Amino acid sequence: MAFLCATGLTFFLTYSIFSAVLGMLQFGYNTGVINAPEKNIENFMKDVYKDRYGEDISEEFIQQLYSVAVSIFAIGGMLGGFSGGWMANRFGRKGGLLLNNVLGISGACLMGFTKVSHSYEMLFLGRFIIGVNCGLNTSLVPMYISEIAPLNLRGGLGTVNQLAVTVGLLLSQVLGIEQILGTNEGWPILLGLAICPAILQLILLPVCPESPRYLLITKQWEEEARKALRRLRASGSVDEDIEEMRAEERAQQSESHISTMELICSPTLRPPLIIGIVMQLSQQFSGINAVFYYSTSLFMSSGLTEESAKFATIGIGAIMVVMSLVSIPLMDRTGRRTLHLYGLGGMFIFSIFITISFLIKEMIDWMSYLSVVATLGFVVFFAVGPGSIPWMITAELFSQGPRPSAMAIAVLVNWMANFVVGIGFPSMKTALENYTFLPFSVFLAIFWIFTYKKVPETKNKTFEEILALFRHNNGSGDSVNDNGNSSSTADIEISQRDSNATRTKVQ
């Protein structure tokens, strides 16, 4: 990939990025790993319940137990994601990642020994702890990578996070087939393999430097920051990098940190916050996690055999990897807003096709294959837009002062929505049967209209220009701010801070 061969991608920088991005691979692996062995895990829960209480468990209750195992991961993620900023400042980016692996190893061990201990509560606890680990990773890894990457590579290397997630997903799906670990004996090993990225990161990461930005701006250790930069850039002249960080530090000082309450109460910052939140909801309520968590059982209910369903699920993982690579150049050529609209629109059309294929599968034999093709199309359009744009656009809507609070709210909303889909989808599937995907179609239509009406294009705009869109009711961000002319004291203060901010272009 030509853009990665540009000046600045040294061997040591590549090594550091690879070591850090194992955290995102861990996140992808644990999102997808619970999908394929659904029947095996349910059988295990039935056996444990019967041994304990001497009676058979109802089909409804077993589904509820399984959906707890799926969605408790998101509760852990919520907690981890929300604590990421604190951990990054308290222990450093690298220090936080290293400490986080203790959780990764603990969670993987608990899941791996679930069957031996004959306790499904142990599975729940393991999924919760690995969820906290993955939540912290979603916060710490992108932060570390963006802070060690040179400016000209920051945009491209940012997409490496999404690529690692999709590789982790694919890996979990391949290992979950019956011929490998998708068996009654193999599933605890499949879940326990989450220990591998954690151990590998513990071996590789200590050699990497701490984030130079953290060393210089947070710790004020200039010599340490210079040392780290010399290693990462493989060059003695790092004055330009140091000067860029100093400029960022000055901008930070002129624009003091804005608390979560200040952010929510500011009339100027509320519209971009609402957009950030709705963008996160558009990612989760699009139905994509229903596909990631439950695609095997979805394909089986559309008429495929269990084995074919697992192979179709692997197809989803493979398409996600390919599309993550394809969307890297698209991100720079097409605007964020345009891509998001294409993504949501495509997902809406294919969600309708999924519903049609469910409805007429009894009449036409080959309809089960239409549901596979429609699901794969659904995933392709997810990767084009809603896969990575909500995270990118939330960061771009805010300048340095309010950004940490805005990102913390975004992470919390994203994981909460993830939990709602994880816990609610099986019941929804039972209640709606062939119409399972209709609510997602409705959500996708609503999110498309919202994006079209309210979301501004952030590509190549400074933070000040983006804020001005909301302040003066211009362009696409026109109608979100009802308080166009009435500014509170806090609002004026925040606006002044934004005016002082560096006019750094959003790449």
Side-chain angles (χ1 to χ4, degrees), residues 109 154 224 356 428 469 506:
C109 287
R154 207 165 289 161
E224 294 294 316
I356 292 169
M428 195 168 89
L469 283 176
V506 175

Side-chain angles (χ1 to χ4, degrees), residues 1-10 14 17 152-164 166-167 320-330 332-333:
M1 298 200 301
F3 79 96
L4 284 182
C5 301
T7 341
L9 191 69
T10 61
T14 310
I17 286 166
N152 61 321
L153 291 178
R154 207 165 289 161
L157 290 175
T159 50
V160 171
N161 295 309
Q162 178 70 5
L163 185 62
T166 57
V167 169
M320 281 293 287
V321 173
V322 172
M323 287 309 297
S324 294
L325 288 168
V326 169
S327 66
I328 294 171
L330 283 177
D332 292 327
R333 286 183 201 157

Side-chain angles (χ1 to χ4, degrees), residues 165-292:
V165 173
T166 57
V167 169
L169 262 168
L170 180 60
L171 199 61
S172 72
Q173 289 158 351
V174 170
L175 293 174
I177 60 170
E178 215 164 319
Q179 290 83 340
I180 306 178
L181 291 171
T183 60
N184 284 333
E185 290 71 43
W187 70 263
I189 302 166
L190 180 69
L191 296 182
L193 279 176
I195 199 169
C196 296
I199 287 178
L200 192 56
Q201 193 174 62
L202 274 178
I203 295 166
L204 298 177
L205 198 63
V207 186
C208 305
E210 181 51 273
S211 154
R213 259 176 176 68
Y214 170 76
L215 293 171
L216 186 71
I217 297 175
T218 310
K219 288 291 187 186
Q220 296 293 319
W221 294 343
E222 184 170 336
E223 200 38 54
E224 294 294 316
R226 284 179 179 276
K227 227 180 276 181
L229 279 167
R230 282 189 208 109
R231 291 175 72 198
L232 288 165
R233 305 286 182 263
S235 153
S237 58
V238 292
D239 291 340
E240 205 177 309
D241 284 288
I242 292 287
E243 190 40 53
E244 186 220 322
M245 288 179 213
R246 286 281 183 221
E248 187 183 326
E249 188 183 10
R250 286 193 292 273
Q252 255 183 7
Q253 283 164 355
S254 70
E255 187 186 7
S256 59
H257 177 79
I258 291 167
S259 71
T260 307
M261 278 317 293
E262 269 186 298
L263 177 62
I264 293 166
C265 296
S266 156
T268 304
L269 292 176
R270 202 179 305 128
L273 181 64
I274 290 168
I275 287 174
I277 288 170
V278 175
M279 293 293 273
Q280 297 298 336
L281 292 176
S282 76
Q283 185 186 72
Q284 292 299 331
F285 288 161
S286 64
I288 195 68
N289 269 353
V291 171
F292 287 159

Side-chain angles (χ1 to χ4, degrees), residues 21-35 73 127 130 133-135 137-138 161-173 194 197 289 292-293 317 320 415:
V21 94
L22 286 167
M24 295 307 275
L25 184 125
Q26 175 80 293
F27 171 52
Y29 184 83
N30 286 290
T31 298
V33 77
I34 200 84
N35 187 335
F73 172 72
R127 283 282 291 172
I130 206 87
N133 166 268
C134 291
N137 279 330
T138 56
N161 295 309
Q162 178 70 5
L163 185 62
V165 173
T166 57
V167 169
L169 262 168
L170 180 60
L171 199 61
S172 72
Q173 289 158 351
N289 269 353
F292 287 159
Y293 290 148
M320 281 293 287
W415 280 101

Side-chain angles (χ1 to χ4, degrees), residues 36-37 40 94 198 213 231 331 335 410 443:
N40 312 102
K94 173 189 162 186
R213 259 176 176 68
R231 291 175 72 198
M331 207 67 75
F443 274 126

Side-chain angles (χ1 to χ4, degrees), residues 108-122:
C109 287
L110 282 167
M111 293 190 298
F113 291 112
T114 296
K115 195 165 185 186
V116 178
S117 66
H118 211 60
S119 156
Y120 46 69
E121 289 83 4
M122 202 154 155

Side-chain angles (χ1 to χ4, degrees), residues 404-425:
S405 296
M407 287 305 281
I409 292 170
V411 167
L412 188 66
V413 167
N414 191 286
W415 280 101
M416 277 170 73
N418 185 329
F419 170 73
V420 169
V421 173
I423 198 90
F425 184 71

